[in-house]
Amino acid sequence: MVTNLINLTHRFTVGVRFNTNITNSDIIADNEMKASSEIPDKAMKTIKILNCTERNLQSINTLNSVSFKSFRKLTERKLKNIKLLKRKTEYKSCEELNKLADENQIRSIILKVQRNESKGDYLTHNEFKHLFVQFLPFKWYAYKLLKIQQKEINYDNVNDKMLDVMLQVSFAAFDYKLFDQLFQILQHRKITASANVLSNAIQVYLKTENIHMAIQIFHQSVMTEKELPNYLLNIFISNLYNKTKNPNLCLSSYKLWISRNHQTNPSIDSFMYNLLVECNLTEDIAWIEQSLEKRGLTEKFVVKFGRVCNQVSKTRKSYDEFMKSELLTQYVQHAKEENEVSSLLNNLTYLHLKHGEFGLALETFMKINNKKNFEITIFSLLRHFEKFENPEMVFQLLKKLKEESNFKIHWTHVLIYWRGMINKYPHLGYGIHRKLRKALSKSKYHQFGFLSNLLVVKKMPVNVDTDERRHYASVKYDNINSELKPLPTDPYLRNIESRLYSGILPDSEILRKAIRLTNDPTEIDRLFEIVKNMNRLSRHRVKSVRLNLEMYYKRRNRKKALELFSEQIDFIENSKMVDCRDLIELFKFCVKSKLYDKAIMVLDLFEKYNVKIVGDQNIMRFLSMFIKYCWSTKQFKELITILEWLKGEKNIIIDEFFWFNLKTAGIKNREILTQMGTKSLEDKNKDNIEKNVEDKTVDEIVENSSEEDLFLQQLIPKMMSYYDLSVYELKNKNEEKCEEVIDTAGDNFKYLVKWIDEDTEILFGTRS
């Protein structure tokens, strides 16, 4: 069937397609004919890189080609068989606790205290204090004990040191409501918080978007304390920027720190310098260059190499040239001289991952011999696969690390895998999340039980016209903190403005979604105003092809189509960088505007900038528009090729919206059949569709088709029959695959929880 159709469509392509007698209203203009005929070849060349199965196999083979056994020396626990701290008092209110504590029966103690509490029998203050201290090696159980006894605690009797410990325990358990309560007591006593508590407080108030509170705590500490550890600045600046994306807030705090002569880590100096360069803040760039020179940091390896990496990361060409240059050799020597080899390896790993060179990244990773950098780089590798929508590799990497080096699984690793799965399969979000909650509930020790409340999925609209909604992964701190609720993050103008008031700048994706989700002219004008303001502050961060195209579609001024296209191309050429999503949107814009000669330019940009389409969602965006293009320009051979590729691709799972788009494209093209007087196939069942396809041979059609209208009358019914059957097959295949994905996620969550429990048993001394 497929072979016959390809032969038939080939006859149509070479003999009929560009006949000047074509009169269909959707046919392209004469000056676009040649361009239209070139698009399929270039698009197919772009699509060839979408072989997801092959790409995943390559990643797995690359991973399997190395051994992580040498990392065992970095994953060894310094303390095994951790026990409760030594008992210093007799527990008279519940004598059974003495024996349980001496036998290290931690869970039994918790259960006993819970049962007594339910009867109204609480520990005395001194008993609680001593038992709480004994539990400190196991913070998650210390927190449980604290929550059980919380109603009976008189904080006036809690000394400063104990209050400090309680703060650290509540922070570790993500109970930010309790942390805030304790921190207010600390401030009321006018006690100087330890550096650890200050660090925790900064993170709590930034994560709950109490930006002004976090800034106030930091600034007050900087102004009043003579000495502060440099890691406090690192934590504050990194968290502040991650939450607000506001370079001005970061710079003012950085300047204050410098003015008080506190020491800095060169890595944060490098970060601030590159941030100011990216934002094109000329006066501030001059200031920081002068400051770095004054403090003797200009020639420091971390600062110099960070500057180079920032430039090299932008284009594939600069990356290739740098990796082959003598300059890299010089930096390797420089790193050795300053004992910054770990920093060199971390940055090189980042560069390799940035340009999709997983093999080189892995090769660099294998040279690390420092525990801290080992864990940091693992995080970078995992985040790389999350970003490129390959959560399967996230799990495979963790699995290999666990089996070969006895790597300890952390809750952030679970979060990355969970988030990666939902981002890749947003239509399966609830099913995947249920599997996570089920796996956590089966945990023997419930060490990471807080994830059940912390991690949530929610449905958000993505298109006001179609009411299309998808699941998004979210870390919801207000689930465990009812008083310090984060501001709403849904992409609506009211939320964007309330966050702006708190100093939180929106990124281009939030602005794009907000523009798409409103039809209110007043809101659109205000959003455009915000875009302009953001561009003045940080033109490289906010300005994007995607955002500008959304603005164009809201205005719907076709006369500006060519002008807008030229602006986008100029932006790409000037910045020398573009991502696949931007190019997909630009291709979509060209096809919708019937600028087919411009569409060719967009497809050429994929090759010019070595842009690969990664992630199921991006693949479906591109294919959806290309399929519509094939229908509108009668590129049937390419349409068949795409559908056959989709049916054979094992690693792509189409969502309901893509399937609906496929079905809609078929329905719209039935109008052609109706215009030709051909009976619609919409109500025919599968068997009749297959029978209809085989009624006539290709040779019979070709022999009897002397004119295009007659030819189309024979071709299109067969094409529609094939298309309907293909969509039907894709739907069935997809339903089976969806169940498989959810089940696989469940199995992987079970493994992760099992490994966590095994590590916990080692701590308890119940497993060798």
Side-chain angles (χ1 to χ4, degrees):
M1 173 181 170
V2 175
T3 303
N4 285 350
L5 269 175
I6 290 177
N7 291 337
L8 181 55
T9 55
H10 178 69
R11 159 69 193 273
F12 178 62
T13 302
V14 300
V16 184
R17 183 180 298 179
F18 297 111
N19 188 310
T20 56
N21 292 325
I22 294 177
T23 58
N24 188 285
S25 60
D26 288 332
I27 205 65
I28 56 178
D30 289 343
N31 64 338
E32 297 284 358
M33 287 285 193
K34 185 174 183 298
S36 176
S37 66
E38 292 178 7
I39 288 177
D41 290 339
K42 291 183 177 292
M44 293 304 297
K45 186 176 182 181
T46 302
I47 290 169
K48 283 182 180 178
I49 64 175
L50 301 182
N51 192 329
C52 304
T53 301
E54 182 179 345
R55 190 166 63 242
N56 285 346
L57 285 174
Q58 287 176 350
S59 296
I60 291 174
N61 289 337
T62 302
L63 181 63
N64 290 336
S65 67
V66 300
S67 171
F68 292 149
K69 291 180 180 179
S70 61
F71 287 133
R72 278 189 172 271
K73 62 181 181 296
L74 301 180
T75 61
E76 289 178 354
R77 277 65 159 178
K78 290 184 179 180
L79 293 174
K80 288 189 176 182
N81 301 344
I82 297 179
K83 298 181 180 296
L84 292 175
L85 297 182
K86 188 175 180 180
R87 181 163 58 87
K88 294 183 178 180
T89 187
E90 289 289 318
Y91 301 118
K92 296 181 180 180
S93 64
C94 182
E95 294 184 2
E96 188 178 348
L97 294 182
N98 297 307
K99 180 181 178 182
L100 292 174
D102 292 341
E103 295 176 353
N104 208 47
Q105 296 295 319
I106 303 168
R107 284 177 296 161
S108 298
I109 293 175
I110 290 292
L111 291 173
K112 182 65 178 175
V113 173
Q114 277 182 321
R115 282 195 292 267
N116 287 352
E117 182 268 342
S118 65
K119 299 175 184 177
D121 297 330
Y122 291 92
L123 298 172
T124 66
H125 176 75
N126 283 334
E127 286 178 331
F128 161 73
K129 182 177 68 174
H130 286 290
L131 189 58
F132 181 74
V133 170
Q134 278 196 272
F135 268 62
L136 288 183
F138 310 96
K139 282 190 171 64
W140 64 97
Y141 280 129
Y143 170 73
K144 284 181 177 292
L145 183 64
L146 178 59
K147 291 297 289 184
I148 293 170
Q149 194 75 10
Q150 188 177 356
K151 293 179 182 178
E152 296 298 307
I153 297 175
N154 182 350
Y155 289 106
D156 292 335
N157 295 331
V158 175
N159 62 40
D160 298 346
K161 186 176 181 181
M162 176 65 74
L163 190 62
D164 189 292
V165 174
M166 286 180 173
L167 279 161
Q168 294 185 51
V169 167
S170 60
F171 175 79
F174 291 90
D175 191 337
Y176 292 169
K177 180 181 178 181
L178 177 58
F179 183 94
D180 177 57
Q181 177 186 346
L182 297 173
F183 191 75
Q184 297 303 326
I185 295 172
L186 190 72
Q187 288 195 313
H188 181 70
R189 292 182 182 179
K190 297 182 179 180
I191 299 169
T192 301
S194 66
N196 279 341
V197 169
L198 280 176
S199 169
N200 294 344
I202 286 167
Q203 294 178 69
V204 165
Y205 294 117
L206 285 176
K207 286 176 180 177
T208 55
E209 297 189 352
N210 284 262
I211 309 300
H212 297 306
M213 178 72 166
I215 292 174
Q216 180 183 341
I217 292 170
F218 178 77
H219 284 197
Q220 184 177 350
S221 300
V222 172
M223 293 296 294
T224 58
E225 298 301 315
K226 292 183 179 180
E227 291 186 10
L228 289 171
N230 58 21
Y231 73 77
L232 195 65
L233 177 66
N234 291 38
I235 288 173
F236 179 73
I237 293 292
S238 59
N239 280 274
L240 181 65
Y241 186 74
N242 285 338
K243 181 56 66 175
T244 68
K245 298 298 187 293
N246 192 326
N248 289 338
L249 289 180
C250 296
L251 182 60
S252 62
S253 298
Y254 177 75
K255 281 184 173 181
L256 178 65
W257 183 277
I258 299 299
S259 71
R260 302 296 294 179
N261 295 319
H262 293 300
Q263 294 299 307
T264 64
N265 187 312
S267 63
I268 204 67
D269 297 304
S270 177
F271 171 82
M272 285 302 307
Y273 178 78
N274 288 322
L275 175 61
L276 298 178
V277 169
E278 284 301 296
C279 296
N280 200 33
L281 303 175
T282 308
E283 292 183 6
D284 294 321
I285 293 171
W287 173 84
I288 198 170
E289 286 179 343
Q290 184 179 10
S291 174
L292 291 174
E293 185 174 357
K294 182 180 178 181
R295 289 180 286 143
L297 297 175
T298 305
E299 296 302 314
K300 282 286 186 181
F301 170 81
V302 174
V303 175
K304 287 185 69 175
F305 195 58
R307 204 176 311 164
V308 171
C309 289
N310 187 48
Q311 294 301 316
V312 172
S313 67
K314 292 181 178 179
T315 67
R316 178 71 191 204
K317 182 180 179 182
S318 60
Y319 166 79
D320 289 337
E321 290 175 351
F322 179 71
M323 289 302 152
K324 298 174 184 176
S325 70
E326 182 63 28
L327 188 59
L328 176 57
T329 305
Q330 294 173 11
Y331 275 112
V332 171
Q333 183 59 34
H334 191 179
K336 291 178 180 178
E337 291 171 357
E338 291 194 14
N339 196 26
E340 292 286 358
V341 174
S342 293
S343 176
L344 171 77
L345 295 176
N346 286 340
N347 279 280
L348 286 177
T349 303
Y350 161 77
L351 286 176
H352 295 321
L353 292 175
K354 175 77 174 179
H355 294 285
E357 294 292 345
F358 175 58
L360 291 176
L362 206 54
E363 183 180 320
T364 306
F365 171 59
M366 295 303 297
K367 298 177 182 177
I368 292 176
N369 59 9
N370 174 283
K371 183 173 183 178
K372 179 181 178 181
N373 288 288
F374 167 71
E375 293 175 350
I376 290 174
T377 306
I378 288 174
F379 187 76
S380 296
L381 290 166
L382 296 174
R383 286 298 303 273
H384 164 76
F385 287 118
E386 179 196 347
K387 178 182 177 182
F388 285 92
E389 291 189 13
N390 195 345
E392 293 83 2
M393 278 299 296
V394 170
F395 179 76
Q396 290 301 323
L397 179 58
L398 289 173
K399 183 173 183 286
K400 189 175 178 66
L401 282 165
K402 181 64 182 176
E403 291 176 346
E404 295 185 1
S405 70
N406 198 26
F407 178 68
K408 185 177 180 181
I409 305 298
H410 191 260
W411 74 268
T412 53
H413 305 141
V414 180
L415 183 148
I416 290 173
Y417 175 69
W418 166 83
R419 190 168 54 200
M421 286 295 293
I422 293 175
N423 290 345
K424 182 173 182 179
Y425 308 108
H427 53 300
L428 305 178
Y430 282 146
I432 292 169
H433 188 61
R434 280 197 301 269
K435 293 292 185 181
L436 169 68
R437 292 176 66 91
K438 183 177 180 180
L440 289 171
S441 70
K442 300 290 185 181
S443 171
K444 185 177 180 181
Y445 296 96
H446 302 287
Q447 182 181 354
F448 294 161
F450 60 82
L451 291 177
S452 291
N453 292 326
L454 191 68
L455 307 184
V456 296
V457 294
K458 58 182 179 178
K459 253 187 177 181
M460 287 177 58
V462 294
N463 193 314
V464 70
D465 297 320
T466 63
D467 197 33
E468 183 178 330
R469 293 173 177 269
R470 296 177 187 270
H471 293 113
Y472 289 88
S474 177
V475 180
K476 192 175 182 181
Y477 294 106
D478 61 336
N479 263 11
I480 49 177
N481 177 11
S482 61
E483 295 178 1
L484 299 172
K485 291 187 177 180
L487 297 169
T489 58
D490 293 352
Y492 297 107
L493 176 61
R494 62 181 180 274
N495 295 337
I496 290 173
E497 289 192 315
S498 66
R499 293 166 72 80
L500 275 171
Y501 182 76
S502 296
I504 304 173
L505 304 187
D507 60 22
S508 60
E509 186 65 15
I510 290 293
L511 289 169
R512 186 189 70 80
K513 287 180 180 178
I515 291 171
R516 173 174 282 191
L517 288 173
T518 182
N519 284 326
D520 184 332
T522 303
E523 286 194 355
I524 293 171
D525 289 339
R526 173 59 182 144
L527 286 166
F528 288 177
E529 181 184 349
I530 292 173
V531 171
K532 291 178 182 178
N533 291 335
M534 293 302 98
N535 284 339
R536 280 197 291 270
L537 177 63
S538 176
R539 65 183 183 183
H540 293 298
R541 186 178 62 80
V542 177
K543 187 174 182 180
S544 74
V545 173
R546 221 174 317 163
L547 178 59
N548 289 343
L549 291 177
E550 289 296 337
M551 294 166 64
Y552 165 80
Y553 281 123
K554 284 296 181 182
R555 294 302 189 193
R556 301 290 182 183
N557 188 342
R558 293 182 61 82
K559 293 181 180 179
K560 292 187 177 181
L562 282 169
E563 179 184 345
L564 180 61
F565 177 80
S566 298
E567 289 178 2
Q568 306 314 303
I569 296 298
D570 288 343
F571 171 68
I572 293 170
E573 295 289 358
N574 291 334
S575 62
K576 302 296 181 186
M577 60 188 299
V578 67
D579 64 22
C580 71
R581 182 73 185 280
D582 279 337
L583 290 184
I584 291 168
E585 291 298 323
L586 195 53
F587 178 74
K588 176 181 175 181
F589 166 78
C590 292
V591 172
K592 281 194 169 185
S593 303
K594 296 188 177 180
L595 301 174
Y596 297 121
D597 57 336
K598 309 303 180 188
I600 290 177
M601 293 177 61
V602 177
L603 295 174
D604 285 339
L605 289 175
F606 278 97
E607 183 174 4
K608 179 177 180 179
Y609 290 103
N610 194 36
V611 176
K612 293 180 173 60
I613 302 178
V614 295
D616 286 13
Q617 300 303 308
N618 285 328
I619 290 171
M620 285 186 278
R621 287 185 185 100
F622 184 81
L623 292 183
S624 181
M625 183 48 56
F626 185 63
I627 286 171
K628 289 178 181 178
Y629 161 81
C630 288
W631 271 120
S632 65
T633 58
K634 302 186 181 68
Q635 307 277 1
F636 296 129
K637 181 178 179 181
E638 288 71 24
L639 180 57
I640 294 170
T641 303
I642 289 297
L643 290 173
E644 289 301 307
W645 179 82
L646 263 177
K647 288 190 288 184
E649 178 53 57
K650 297 179 181 179
N651 277 27
I652 288 186
I653 299 181
I654 63 175
D655 62 28
E656 58 187 294
F657 304 109
F658 180 69
W659 182 82
F660 178 77
N661 286 337
L662 290 184
K663 187 177 179 181
T664 302
I667 291 173
K668 286 182 177 179
N669 280 278
R670 295 183 194 284
E671 296 175 6
I672 300 175
L673 299 177
T674 303
Q675 292 171 3
M676 294 179 178
T678 305
K679 185 178 179 181
S680 171
L681 299 174
E682 189 169 1
D683 298 326
K684 292 190 176 183
N685 60 32
K686 178 184 173 185
D687 294 335
N688 286 337
I689 288 174
E690 291 177 330
K691 184 175 182 300
N692 182 60
V693 170
E694 301 302 332
D695 278 345
K696 290 186 179 181
T697 66
V698 173
D699 290 338
E700 288 176 329
I701 296 174
V702 172
E703 182 180 351
N704 297 311
S705 301
S706 56
E707 295 183 6
E708 186 188 4
D709 285 348
L710 179 59
F711 192 87
L712 286 174
Q713 285 179 353
Q714 301 294 335
L715 169 64
I716 291 182
K718 286 183 174 291
M719 189 64 220
M720 288 303 305
S721 299
Y722 163 77
Y723 187 83
D724 287 345
L725 186 59
S726 295
V727 172
Y728 175 85
E729 291 175 358
L730 281 171
K731 182 179 181 182
N732 288 342
K733 168 195 165 187
N734 196 58
E735 289 174 351
E736 295 176 2
K737 192 66 179 175
C738 286
E739 293 180 6
E740 182 183 329
V741 166
I742 293 174
D743 288 342
T744 299
D747 291 340
N748 291 347
F749 285 132
K750 288 178 185 176
Y751 273 111
L752 292 170
V753 170
K754 171 178 172 286
W755 294 331
I756 291 168
D757 280 352
E758 288 175 354
D759 287 334
T760 307
E761 286 178 347
I762 292 175
L763 293 177
F764 285 157
T766 57
R767 183 174 179 271
S768 59

